[in-house]
Coordinates of all heavy atoms in Angstrom, one line a residue:
C1 N 0.8 -1.2 -0.1 CA 0.0 0.0 0.0 C 0.8 1.3 0.0 O 1.7 1.4 0.9 CB -1.0 0.0 1.2 SG -2.1 1.4 1.2
Y2 N 0.5 2.2 -0.9 CA 1.3 3.5 -1.0 C 0.7 4.5 -0.1 O 1.2 5.7 0.0 CB 1.3 3.9 -2.4 CG 0.0 4.5 -2.9 CD1 -0.3 5.8 -2.9 CD2 -1.0 3.6 -3.4 CE1 -1.5 6.3 -3.4 CE2 -2.3 4.1 -3.9 CZ -2.5 5.4 -3.9 OH -3.7 5.9 -4.3
Y3 N -0.4 4.2 0.6 CA -1.1 5.2 1.4 C -1.2 5.0 2.9 O -1.3 6.0 3.6 CB -2.5 5.4 0.9 CG -3.0 6.7 0.7 CD1 -2.7 7.6 -0.4 CD2 -3.7 7.4 1.8 CE1 -3.0 8.8 -0.5 CE2 -4.1 8.7 1.6 CZ -3.7 9.5 0.5 OH -4.1 10.8 0.4
L4 N -0.9 3.8 3.4 CA -1.0 3.6 4.8 C 0.1 4.5 5.6 O -0.3 4.9 6.8 CB -0.8 2.2 5.2 CG -2.0 1.2 4.9 CD1 -1.7 -0.2 5.3 CD2 -3.2 1.6 5.6
H5 N 1.1 4.7 5.1 CA 2.2 5.5 5.7 C 1.8 6.9 5.9 O 2.5 7.7 6.7 CB 3.5 5.4 5.0 CG 3.6 6.1 3.8 ND1 3.1 5.7 2.6 CD2 4.2 7.3 3.5 CE1 3.3 6.6 1.7 NE2 4.0 7.6 2.2
K6 N 0.8 7.4 5.2 CA 0.4 8.8 5.4 C -0.1 9.1 6.8 O 0.0 10.2 7.2 CB -0.8 9.2 4.4 CG -0.6 8.8 3.0 CD 0.6 9.5 2.4 CE 0.8 9.2 0.9 NZ 2.0 9.7 0.3
E7 N -0.5 8.1 7.5 CA -0.9 8.3 9.0 C 0.2 8.9 9.7 O 0.0 9.7 10.6 CB -1.2 6.9 9.5 CG -1.6 6.9 11.0 CD -1.9 5.6 11.5 OE1 -2.0 4.6 10.7 OE2 -2.0 5.4 12.8
H8 N 1.5 8.6 9.3 CA 2.6 9.1 10.1 C 3.2 10.3 9.4 O 3.5 11.3 10.0 CB 3.7 8.1 10.3 CG 3.2 6.7 10.9 ND1 2.9 6.7 12.2 CD2 3.0 5.5 10.4 CE1 2.5 5.5 12.5 NE2 2.5 4.8 11.4
L9 N 3.2 10.3 8.0 CA 3.8 11.3 7.2 C 3.0 12.6 7.4 O 3.5 13.7 7.6 CB 3.9 11.0 5.8 CG 4.4 12.0 4.8 CD1 5.9 12.1 5.1 CD2 4.1 11.6 3.4
L10 N 1.6 12.5 7.4 CA 0.8 13.7 7.6 C 0.2 13.9 9.0 O -0.7 14.6 9.2 CB -0.4 13.6 6.5 CG 0.0 13.3 5.1 CD1 -1.3 13.3 4.2 CD2 0.9 14.4 4.6
D11 N 0.8 13.1 9.9 CA 0.4 13.2 11.3 C -1.2 12.9 11.4 O -1.8 13.6 12.1 CB 0.8 14.5 11.9 CG 0.6 14.5 13.5 OD1 0.7 13.5 14.0 OD2 0.4 15.5 14.0
Q12 N -1.7 12.0 10.7 CA -3.1 11.6 10.8 C -3.2 10.5 12.0 O -2.2 9.9 12.4 CB -3.5 10.9 9.5 CG -3.5 11.7 8.3 CD -3.9 10.9 7.1 OE1 -4.3 9.7 7.1 NE2 -4.2 11.6 5.9
H13 N -4.3 10.5 12.5 CA -4.7 9.6 13.6 C -5.8 8.6 13.2 O -6.8 9.1 12.5 CB -5.1 10.3 14.9 CG -4.0 11.2 15.4 ND1 -2.8 10.8 16.1 CD2 -3.9 12.5 15.4 CE1 -2.1 11.7 16.4 NE2 -2.7 12.8 16.0
R14 N -5.7 7.4 13.4 CA -6.7 6.5 13.0 C -8.1 6.8 13.5 O -8.2 7.2 14.6 CB -6.4 4.9 13.4 CG -5.3 4.4 12.6 CD -4.9 2.9 13.1 NE -6.1 2.1 13.1 CZ -6.6 1.5 12.0 NH1 -6.1 1.7 10.8 NH2 -7.7 0.7 12.1
G15 N -9.1 6.7 12.7 CA -10.4 7.1 13.2 C -10.9 8.4 12.8 O -12.0 8.8 12.9
R16 N -9.9 9.3 12.4 CA -10.3 10.6 11.9 C -11.2 10.5 10.6 O -11.0 9.6 9.8 CB -9.1 11.5 11.6 CG -8.4 12.0 12.9 CD -7.4 13.1 12.5 NE -6.9 13.8 13.7 CZ -6.0 14.6 13.6 NH1 -5.4 15.0 12.5 NH2 -5.5 15.1 14.7
R17 N -12.1 11.5 10.5 CA -13.0 11.4 9.3 C -13.3 12.9 9.0 O -13.1 13.8 9.8 CB -14.3 10.7 9.6 CG -15.0 11.2 10.8 CD -16.4 10.5 10.9 NE -16.3 9.1 11.0 CZ -17.3 8.2 10.7 NH1 -18.5 8.7 10.3 NH2 -17.1 7.0 10.9
M18 N -13.7 13.1 7.7 CA -14.1 14.5 7.3 C -15.3 14.9 8.0 O -16.4 14.2 7.9 CB -14.3 14.4 5.7 CG -14.6 15.8 5.2 SD -14.8 15.8 3.3 CE -13.0 15.6 2.8
E19 N -15.3 16.0 8.7 CA -16.4 16.5 9.3 C -17.5 17.0 8.3 O -17.2 17.3 7.2 CB -16.0 17.7 10.1 CG -15.0 17.4 11.2 CD -14.5 18.8 11.9 OE1 -15.0 19.9 11.5 OE2 -13.8 18.6 12.9
V20 N -18.8 16.9 8.8 CA -19.9 17.2 7.9 C -19.8 18.6 7.2 O -20.0 18.8 6.1 CB -21.2 17.1 8.5 CG1 -22.4 17.5 7.6 CG2 -21.4 15.6 9.0
S21 N -19.3 19.6 8.0 CA -19.1 20.9 7.5 C -18.1 21.0 6.4 O -18.3 21.7 5.4 CB -18.8 21.8 8.6 OG -17.5 21.5 9.3
M22 N -17.0 20.1 6.6 CA -15.9 20.1 5.5 C -16.4 19.4 4.4 O -16.2 19.8 3.2 CB -14.7 19.5 6.2 CG -13.6 19.3 5.1 SD -12.9 20.9 4.6 CE -11.9 21.4 6.1
L23 N -17.2 18.3 4.6 CA -17.8 17.6 3.5 C -18.6 18.4 2.6 O -18.5 18.4 1.4 CB -18.6 16.4 4.0 CG -19.4 15.5 3.0 CD1 -18.3 14.8 2.1 CD2 -20.2 14.5 3.7
E24 N -19.5 19.3 3.2 CA -20.4 20.2 2.5 C -19.5 21.2 1.7 O -19.8 21.5 0.5 CB -21.4 20.8 3.3 CG -22.3 21.8 2.6 CD -23.6 22.0 3.1 OE1 -23.9 21.6 4.4 OE2 -24.5 22.6 2.5
R25 N -18.5 21.7 2.4 CA -17.6 22.7 1.7 C -17.0 22.1 0.5 O -17.0 22.8 -0.6 CB -16.5 23.2 2.7 CG -15.6 24.2 2.1 CD -14.7 24.6 3.1 NE -15.2 25.4 4.3 CZ -15.3 25.1 5.6 NH1 -14.8 23.9 5.9 NH2 -15.8 25.8 6.5
Y26 N -16.5 20.8 0.6 CA -15.9 20.2 -0.6 C -16.9 20.0 -1.7 O -16.6 20.3 -2.8 CB -15.3 18.8 -0.1 CG -15.0 18.0 -1.2 CD1 -14.0 18.4 -2.2 CD2 -15.5 16.7 -1.4 CE1 -13.7 17.6 -3.3 CE2 -15.2 15.9 -2.5 CZ -14.4 16.4 -3.4 OH -14.1 15.6 -4.5
V27 N -18.1 19.4 -1.4 CA -19.1 19.1 -2.4 C -19.4 20.5 -3.1 O -19.4 20.5 -4.4 CB -20.3 18.5 -1.7 CG1 -21.4 18.4 -2.8 CG2 -19.9 17.0 -1.4
R28 N -19.7 21.4 -2.3 CA -20.1 22.7 -2.9 C -19.0 23.3 -3.9 O -19.3 23.7 -5.1 CB -20.4 23.7 -1.9 CG -20.9 25.1 -2.4 CD -21.2 26.1 -1.3 NE -20.1 26.3 -0.4 CZ -19.0 27.1 -0.6 NH1 -18.9 27.7 -1.8 NH2 -18.1 27.2 0.3
Q29 N -17.8 23.3 -3.4 CA -16.7 23.9 -4.2 C -16.4 23.0 -5.5 O -16.2 23.5 -6.5 CB -15.5 24.0 -3.3 CG -15.6 25.0 -2.2 CD -14.2 25.3 -1.5 OE1 -13.2 24.9 -2.0 NE2 -14.2 26.0 -0.4
Y30 N -16.4 21.7 -5.3 CA -16.2 20.9 -6.4 C -17.2 21.1 -7.5 O -16.9 21.2 -8.7 CB -16.2 19.4 -6.0 CG -15.7 18.4 -7.0 CD1 -14.4 18.4 -7.6 CD2 -16.5 17.3 -7.4 CE1 -14.0 17.5 -8.5 CE2 -16.1 16.4 -8.3 CZ -14.8 16.5 -8.8 OH -14.4 15.5 -9.8
I31 N -18.5 21.2 -7.1 CA -19.5 21.5 -8.1 C -19.4 22.9 -8.7 O -19.5 23.0 -10.0 CB -20.9 21.4 -7.5 CG1 -21.2 19.9 -7.1 CG2 -22.1 21.9 -8.4 CD1 -22.5 19.7 -6.3
E32 N -19.1 23.9 -7.9 CA -18.9 25.2 -8.4 C -17.7 25.4 -9.5 O -17.8 26.2 -10.4 CB -18.6 26.2 -7.3 CG -19.8 26.4 -6.4 CD -19.4 27.3 -5.2 OE1 -18.2 27.5 -4.9 OE2 -20.4 27.9 -4.6
A33 N -16.7 24.5 -9.4 CA -15.6 24.7 -10.2 C -15.7 23.9 -11.5 O -14.9 24.0 -12.4 CB -14.3 24.1 -9.5
Q34 N -16.7 23.0 -11.7 CA -16.9 22.2 -12.8 C -17.8 22.9 -13.9 O -18.7 23.6 -13.6 CB -17.5 20.8 -12.5 CG -16.7 20.1 -11.4 CD -15.4 19.4 -12.0 OE1 -15.4 19.1 -13.2 NE2 -14.5 19.0 -11.1
N35 N -17.5 22.6 -15.1 CA -18.4 23.1 -16.3 C -18.9 21.9 -17.2 O -19.5 22.3 -18.2 CB -17.6 24.1 -17.1 CG -16.5 23.5 -17.8 OD1 -16.1 22.4 -17.7 ND2 -15.7 24.4 -18.6
G36 N -18.7 20.7 -16.8 CA -19.1 19.6 -17.6 C -20.6 19.3 -17.3 O -21.2 19.7 -16.3
D37 N -21.3 18.5 -18.2 CA -22.6 18.1 -18.0 C -22.8 17.0 -16.8 O -23.8 17.0 -16.2 CB -23.2 17.5 -19.2 CG -23.3 18.5 -20.4 OD1 -23.6 19.7 -20.0 OD2 -23.3 18.2 -21.6
E38 N -21.7 16.3 -16.7 CA -21.7 15.3 -15.5 C -20.6 15.8 -14.5 O -19.5 15.9 -15.0 CB -21.5 13.9 -16.1 CG -21.5 12.9 -15.0 CD -21.3 11.5 -15.5 OE1 -20.6 11.3 -16.6 OE2 -21.6 10.5 -14.9
I39 N -20.9 15.6 -13.3 CA -19.9 15.9 -12.2 C -19.6 14.7 -11.4 O -20.6 14.1 -10.8 CB -20.4 17.1 -11.3 CG1 -20.6 18.3 -12.1 CG2 -19.4 17.3 -10.2 CD1 -21.4 19.4 -11.4
I40 N -18.5 14.1 -11.5 CA -18.2 12.8 -10.9 C -17.4 13.0 -9.7 O -16.3 13.5 -9.6 CB -17.5 11.9 -11.9 CG1 -18.2 11.8 -13.2 CG2 -17.1 10.5 -11.3 CD1 -17.5 11.0 -14.3
F41 N -17.9 12.4 -8.5 CA -17.3 12.4 -7.2 C -16.7 11.0 -7.0 O -17.4 10.0 -7.3 CB -18.3 12.7 -6.1 CG -18.7 14.2 -6.0 CD1 -19.7 14.7 -6.7 CD2 -18.0 15.0 -5.1 CE1 -20.1 15.9 -6.7 CE2 -18.4 16.4 -5.0 CZ -19.4 16.8 -5.8
S42 N -15.5 11.0 -6.6 CA -14.8 9.7 -6.3 C -14.3 9.6 -4.9 O -13.7 10.6 -4.4 CB -13.5 9.6 -7.2 OG -13.9 9.5 -8.6
W43 N -14.7 8.6 -4.3 CA -14.4 8.4 -2.9 C -13.5 7.2 -2.6 O -13.7 6.1 -3.1 CB -15.8 8.2 -2.1 CG -16.7 9.2 -2.4 CD1 -17.8 9.2 -3.3 CD2 -16.8 10.5 -1.9 NE1 -18.5 10.3 -3.4 CE2 -17.9 11.2 -2.5 CE3 -16.1 11.2 -0.9 CZ2 -18.2 12.5 -2.2 CZ3 -16.5 12.5 -0.6 CH2 -17.5 13.2 -1.2

């Protein structure tokens, strides 16, 4: 895995998650910045 080490590199702690307020901020901004007929979110 190329990503598990980000826990230490980025000082993440297991169990952290995106807060709902941050989630809404991301969704809104991603939509606002797109100009295509389809807007694809990847999780």
Side-chain angles (χ1 to χ4, degrees):
C1 185
Y2 72 99
Y3 222 80
L4 285 179
H5 74 283
K6 307 298 183 186
E7 178 180 352
H8 305 291
L9 180 70
L10 305 181
D11 194 28
Q12 296 179 355
H13 299 287
R14 284 180 57 78
R16 281 191 175 178
R17 57 173 58 201
M18 186 176 282
E19 298 175 356
V20 175
S21 59
M22 180 64 73
L23 178 63
E24 179 155 12
R25 181 180 289 115
Y26 166 60
V27 170
R28 178 180 58 79
Q29 290 188 18
Y30 190 57
I31 290 173
E32 287 176 344
Q34 302 284 339
N35 66 0
D37 294 333
E38 183 181 20
I39 302 170
I40 302 173
F41 285 85
S42 296
W43 309 97

